[in-house]
Amino acid sequence: MSIPSSDQDITVVHVMRHGEVANPDGVLYGRLAGYHLSELGRQMADRVAEHLASRDVTHVVASPLERAQETATPIAKAHGLDLAVDERLIEAENVFQGKTFGVGDGALRRPENWKHLTNPFKPSWGEPYVEQVVRMMGALDAAKDAARGHEAVCVSHQLPIWTLRSFVEKRRLWHDPRKRQCTLASLTTFTYQGDRIVSVGYSEPARELVPAHLLAGAKPVKGKDKAFGA
């Protein structure tokens, strides 16, 4: 049964980035199956579940990828909810999926890959930013409708979350990946009044668990964090 809408309803939708993934080879895993949270990633998920335990969360939904499902599970469990899946929350498509893509090594050093780097504004190496906005806005609105008057949590991935936030805050969609404010296990929070977004917030409940070189704005370190856009 659908929940009646009202222009006065206040609904909060937290869009969460998943926790750290076990990825010792530094592969850009993208939409590949089989990449699970590391032990630290599970701690991050538990920390955010604790942070949200007292909130009025009535709907929890995640990307179909394992790392998002595993991040969302303790949040859903803490509120006695079934975990929903929304394909629209999935990671952005990327032609470099399955390759290493690090600082000073990997795919960027190979001439055969340079053809994919011709247009950073679209971008030419993966799913267009505009398409990410369309699907993420659809998922955000669906979560808002499911939790109308309460709170929802959507677990997704860094690039789609940042693209969504940039659109809502009326910024250009193309950007420097190093400057995304979307740390592991962070919450980008959209507050609706009725069907209108009235504010956007950002928080890092698991910040103390995130390695320094993975925090928002940190400089890339050779040999670390090779899987960009996770």
Side-chain angles (χ1 to χ4, degrees), residues 11 20 42 67 69 79-80 97 103-104 106 110-111 115 119 122 142 153 159-160 171-172 175 177 207 229:
T11 308
E20 184 189 65
R42 288 191 288 273
R67 57 192 186 272
Q69 295 278 306
H79 292 275
Q97 177 177 291
V103 180
R110 300 171 190 151
K115 63 185 177 183
N119 185 358
K122 187 178 179 180
V153 179
L159 178 54
R171 289 193 303 275
R172 69 190 186 200
H175 60 279
R207 182 181 177 88

Side-chain angles (χ1 to χ4, degrees), residues 55-66:
R55 305 296 293 256
D56 184 24
V57 174
T58 61
H59 181 65
V60 182
V61 59
S63 155
L65 297 174
E66 293 100 332

Side-chain angles (χ1 to χ4, degrees), residues 129-190:
Y129 293 127
V130 172
E131 292 182 11
Q132 294 179 50
V133 167
V134 170
R135 64 177 173 85
M136 289 295 288
M137 281 300 301
L140 190 71
D141 283 343
K144 173 261 298 176
D145 290 341
R148 190 175 291 276
H150 304 278
E151 300 188 26
V153 179
C154 304
V155 181
S156 186
H157 308 268
Q158 185 190 57
L159 178 54
I161 296 171
W162 182 248
T163 302
L164 171 67
R165 180 178 172 185
S166 296
F167 173 78
V168 171
E169 294 184 329
K170 296 180 169 56
R171 289 193 303 275
R172 69 190 186 200
L173 301 183
W174 59 272
H175 60 279
D176 182 342
R178 297 168 298 181
K179 296 183 179 180
R180 295 173 189 158
Q181 189 183 39
C182 191
T183 295
L184 289 165
S186 61
L187 298 174
T188 300
T189 300
F190 299 86

Side-chain angles (χ1 to χ4, degrees), residues 11-211:
T11 308
V12 177
V13 182
H14 306 281
V15 184
M16 180 182 177
R17 183 183 173 192
H18 61 78
E20 184 189 65
V21 175
N23 183 22
D25 296 326
V27 172
L28 195 154
Y29 32 76
R31 295 179 176 182
L32 293 174
Y35 284 88
H36 299 268
L37 293 183
S38 65
E39 177 57 36
L40 181 60
R42 288 191 288 273
Q43 292 176 30
M44 292 176 183
D46 289 341
R47 181 67 56 85
V48 178
E50 292 170 6
H51 173 76
L52 294 173
S54 63
R55 305 296 293 256
D56 184 24
V57 174
T58 61
H59 181 65
V60 182
V61 59
S63 155
L65 297 174
E66 293 100 332
R67 57 192 186 272
Q69 295 278 306
E70 292 166 1
T71 299
T73 294
I75 300 171
K77 184 177 179 181
H79 292 275
L81 299 170
D82 292 331
L83 175 59
V85 179
D86 192 328
E87 295 279 349
R88 293 172 293 189
L89 294 170
I90 200 168
E91 175 64 288
E93 191 174 25
N94 194 309
V95 298
F96 295 108
Q97 177 177 291
K99 302 177 181 179
T100 59
F101 192 57
V103 180
D105 61 5
L108 289 184
R109 294 178 62 89
R110 300 171 190 151
E112 65 269 23
N113 290 326
W114 295 349
K115 63 185 177 183
H116 299 300
L117 304 173
T118 56
N119 185 358
F121 307 106
K122 187 178 179 180
S124 53
W125 54 82
E127 181 183 11
Y129 293 127
V130 172
E131 292 182 11
Q132 294 179 50
V133 167
V134 170
R135 64 177 173 85
M136 289 295 288
M137 281 300 301
L140 190 71
D141 283 343
K144 173 261 298 176
D145 290 341
R148 190 175 291 276
H150 304 278
E151 300 188 26
V153 179
C154 304
V155 181
S156 186
H157 308 268
Q158 185 190 57
L159 178 54
I161 296 171
W162 182 248
T163 302
L164 171 67
R165 180 178 172 185
S166 296
F167 173 78
V168 171
E169 294 184 329
K170 296 180 169 56
R171 289 193 303 275
R172 69 190 186 200
L173 301 183
W174 59 272
H175 60 279
D176 182 342
R178 297 168 298 181
K179 296 183 179 180
R180 295 173 189 158
Q181 189 183 39
C182 191
T183 295
L184 289 165
S186 61
L187 298 174
T188 300
T189 300
F190 299 86
T191 300
Y192 285 84
Q193 182 174 348
D195 293 321
R196 181 171 62 92
I197 297 173
V198 295
S199 69
V200 181
Y202 176 78
S203 60
E204 298 175 353
R207 182 181 177 88
E208 67 185 65
L209 297 175
V210 179

